[in-house]
Amino acid sequence: MGGFGSGRNYSYSSKAKTSDYRFVDIRRWQRDGMLSKRHFDWSWHRNGERVASITVKVAENAITLQYRIKRNGEWQDVDCKIKLSKTACNLGGSRQWFICPCCNRRAAIIYIGKVPACRKCYRLSYSSQHESHLERQIRKLDKIRDQLRWPAGFLNGESGKPKGMHWKTYNSLYQQQATLSNQAESYVDAQLGLINKGMERVTKSISKRIT
């Protein structure tokens, strides 16, 4: 069984992001039928190679997560039981939830650290909360460009209406991407202007000292 803690920050931190932790999502497990098994292994891969894994034992209304984590240079075993809960769906059937072992709140996602716990218990923020204004604009723009089947990046130009897309849909998406592209370009131009002004001040200051 693969271990955790190599190349990632798994320490408790109020500044940590969700992307700093590996996680398990009960919605995927339910969709893939994993919870109907008695036990299974769950793995994470990078560049086609397995980098970590956990063993999951399934019981009635509960699961047990077993894995190893590296703390203070030593490997430690984690064996934690997590209760499950069900809620009815509006269109029939039911939805499974984890019950966080630390706060007893329902959660769809549990993060893997020194103990399995929900995002609130680890005080994790989403990566998008740390984005700059430009990064947010580019992320929104790239989503729209993906819908248009255009290459990501507002500097890559336009590729026209995708085959099979209705003109109404295309025109709406085109207008959104055009607005976001103009905003991103204006922001970049403004930032470059500030940089150029800063460089001019530095250059003038150096020239005065030399003379």
Side-chain angles (χ1 to χ4, degrees):
M1 180 170 59
F4 290 84
S6 177
R8 283 179 175 240
N9 175 21
Y10 289 98
S11 61
Y12 181 87
S13 171
S14 59
K15 295 183 179 180
K17 302 186 292 294
T18 53
S19 57
D20 294 327
Y21 284 68
R22 296 189 179 95
F23 64 87
V24 293
D25 189 332
I26 198 170
R27 293 167 297 189
R28 180 173 179 182
W29 285 358
Q30 184 176 16
R31 183 175 65 248
D32 294 350
M34 307 303 291
L35 298 177
S36 62
K37 301 180 179 182
R38 294 183 60 183
H39 61 83
F40 60 92
D41 291 331
W42 191 256
S43 302
W44 288 265
H45 296 78
R46 185 185 302 129
N47 298 325
E49 296 185 5
R50 189 175 73 168
V51 294
S53 67
I54 59 175
T55 295
V56 184
K57 294 185 177 180
V58 184
E60 187 176 0
N61 299 322
I63 62 167
T64 300
L65 301 184
Q66 296 177 329
Y67 56 92
R68 303 180 73 207
I69 187 168
K70 199 170 189 178
R71 296 183 62 192
N72 300 322
E74 295 183 0
W75 289 103
Q76 298 180 11
D77 292 326
V78 177
D79 189 318
C80 183
K81 183 177 182 179
I82 301 176
K83 295 180 181 179
L84 304 180
S85 174
K86 286 184 180 180
T87 56
C89 298
N90 293 331
L91 300 178
S94 61
R95 178 180 174 180
Q96 292 270 20
W97 298 88
F98 294 122
I99 300 299
C100 176
C102 295
C103 66
N104 289 321
R105 284 188 289 239
R106 287 188 308 199
I109 293 176
I110 288 292
Y111 294 87
I112 307 299
K114 59 183 178 182
V115 294
C118 69
R119 181 179 68 86
K120 291 184 178 180
C121 287
Y122 272 111
R123 297 183 184 176
L124 303 178
S125 60
Y126 293 112
S127 297
S128 58
Q129 293 176 272
H130 297 262
E131 291 178 328
S132 67
H133 175 74
L134 178 60
E135 289 171 331
R136 285 194 295 272
Q137 295 293 88
I138 291 176
R139 179 168 56 84
K140 292 178 182 178
L141 179 58
D142 283 344
K143 285 184 178 181
I144 295 173
R145 293 181 67 89
D146 183 62
Q147 289 178 272
L148 290 167
R149 301 167 204 166
W150 294 0
F154 68 94
L155 297 177
N156 286 322
E158 303 172 2
S159 302
K161 185 179 80 68
K163 185 177 180 180
M165 179 177 285
H166 293 295
W167 276 105
K168 183 178 181 180
T169 302
Y170 171 73
N171 288 332
S172 175
L173 292 173
Y174 181 87
Q175 186 58 48
Q176 292 178 57
Q177 72 84 28
T179 299
L180 288 170
S181 291
N182 289 335
Q183 292 175 353
E185 289 176 4
S186 297
Y187 186 83
V188 170
D189 289 341
Q191 294 300 107
L192 289 175
L194 292 174
I195 292 173
N196 289 334
K197 287 182 179 179
M199 292 298 295
E200 288 176 3
R201 287 196 295 268
V202 171
T203 302
K204 289 180 180 179
S205 177
I206 293 174
S207 298
K208 287 180 181 179
R209 291 178 184 179
I210 293 175
T211 57

